[in-house]
Amino acid sequence: MLEQRAMLIMTLRGQGVRDTSVLNALEVTPRDAFVPQALRQHAYDNVSLPIAHGQTISQPYVVARMTEELELTGRERVLEIGTGSGYQAAVLSYLSRRVYSIERLRPLLVEADRRLSQLKITNYTSKLADGALGWPEAAPFDRIILTCAAADHPRTLLEQLKPGGIMIAPVDVEGGHQAICKYRKDTDGQITTDQLFDVKFVPLVTDNPTTDIADT
Ligand code: SAH
């Protein structure tokens, strides 16, 4: 497994992932602990894999690129929407001060929490909720990452981002495809948006469709 992990890191380097702290975080995170038993032999393939309840663990390349774009220094409080297997949260825990992660499917969250505690990760907090609403009690955040695709710019979440903060999210964009969008909030609260690269994520399923995403 360790050899496969090292091979994956070389592949990611070859694909242009440059940030050594991100590569190190992926190297120390045992992805095999986050995939279903039957798929363990594929844990270090550079592909997304199915997890329970029709959800997926993202492709390592996408995890690495999105994490890189968060520009973490180790001091940030990060909000993640879509805990899923817990893999992305584990990667983030090595690169930030504290990770807050929200999942709407209880069985996935229970498993993810168990995995992170087995890895002795202590700077992780999670809750079962609709992530579209963010985590107002813990806001504002230095960084926000969505690992499920929003139908539109996630405005409620942007409100929970600190001035100077960055949010990375897959968003349905024009032309019927999904792209990773990078949002920066400047010190005056102005938002700038960059569209980075195309992806395919499971949707953000919001149980409160009127309170988020709707155009205001
Ligand atoms: N970050 C995960 C990938 C998860 S797949 C990993 O590393 O494995 C996307 C996850 O988003 C799924 O588990 C799905 O249940 C969750 N999700 C979708 N809509 C959500 C919402 N509104 N709130 C919280 N989680 C949501």
Side-chain angles (χ1 to χ4, degrees):
M1 285 287 184
L2 277 177
E3 200 174 303
Q4 290 175 29
R5 228 188 274 182
M7 290 274 287
L8 172 61
I9 301 307
M10 276 176 49
T11 304
L12 298 177
R13 265 186 217 285
Q15 285 183 299
V17 179
R18 292 273 171 270
D19 188 325
T20 48
S21 59
V22 171
L23 289 165
N24 287 343
L26 267 92
E27 190 155 21
V28 299
T29 309
R31 193 169 184 253
D32 53 290
F34 292 85
V35 304
Q37 189 76 47
L39 295 172
R40 287 274 152 94
Q41 73 270 30
H42 297 293
Y44 296 99
D45 294 356
N46 192 15
V47 294
S48 64
L49 293 170
I51 55 174
H53 301 278
Q55 306 304 317
T56 50
I57 176 171
S58 310
Q59 183 190 4
Y61 172 72
V62 173
V63 172
R65 287 287 296 113
M66 288 175 76
T67 307
E68 220 173 27
E69 295 292 348
L70 284 174
E71 301 179 23
L72 295 166
T73 68
R75 292 190 293 272
E76 294 80 9
R77 293 167 69 250
V78 185
L79 173 65
E80 179 194 27
I81 311 303
T83 317
S85 69
Y87 179 71
Q88 172 78 69
V91 169
L92 292 170
S93 76
Y94 298 119
L95 298 166
S96 61
R97 180 145 61 91
R98 178 157 288 276
V99 181
Y100 297 81
S101 189
I102 308 178
E103 172 57 55
R104 61 183 285 278
L105 298 175
R106 185 185 299 276
L108 290 181
L109 191 62
V110 168
E111 275 293 288
D113 286 355
R114 191 186 53 74
R115 291 180 182 120
L116 274 93
S117 101
Q118 266 180 1
L119 290 173
K120 310 234 183 311
I121 293 169
T122 53
N123 60 340
Y124 159 85
T125 313
S126 70
K127 75 168 177 177
L128 189 74
D130 179 2
L133 304 176
W135 197 323
E137 309 78 39
F141 297 95
D142 302 292
R143 302 288 188 266
I144 299 178
I145 179 169
L146 274 80
T147 62
C148 38
D152 198 352
H153 300 304
R155 292 186 179 80
T156 303
L157 294 172
L158 278 169
E159 282 166 18
Q160 295 183 22
L161 189 64
K162 269 190 203 163
I166 297 172
M167 177 165 95
I168 302 291
V171 179
D172 294 336
V173 292
E174 274 166 45
H177 58 110
Q178 264 177 28
I180 294 297
C181 290
K182 180 169 184 170
Y183 304 86
R184 264 180 210 280
K185 187 184 267 191
D186 72 17
T187 41
D188 301 328
Q190 286 288 104
I191 309 282
T192 52
T193 309
D194 278 323
Q195 204 169 301
L196 302 181
F197 54 95
D198 283 6
V199 281
K200 201 148 180 34
F201 273 80
V202 297
L204 173 104
V205 178
T206 179
D207 306 321
N208 298 278
T210 54
T211 51
D212 190 53
I213 313 192
D215 279 318
T216 48

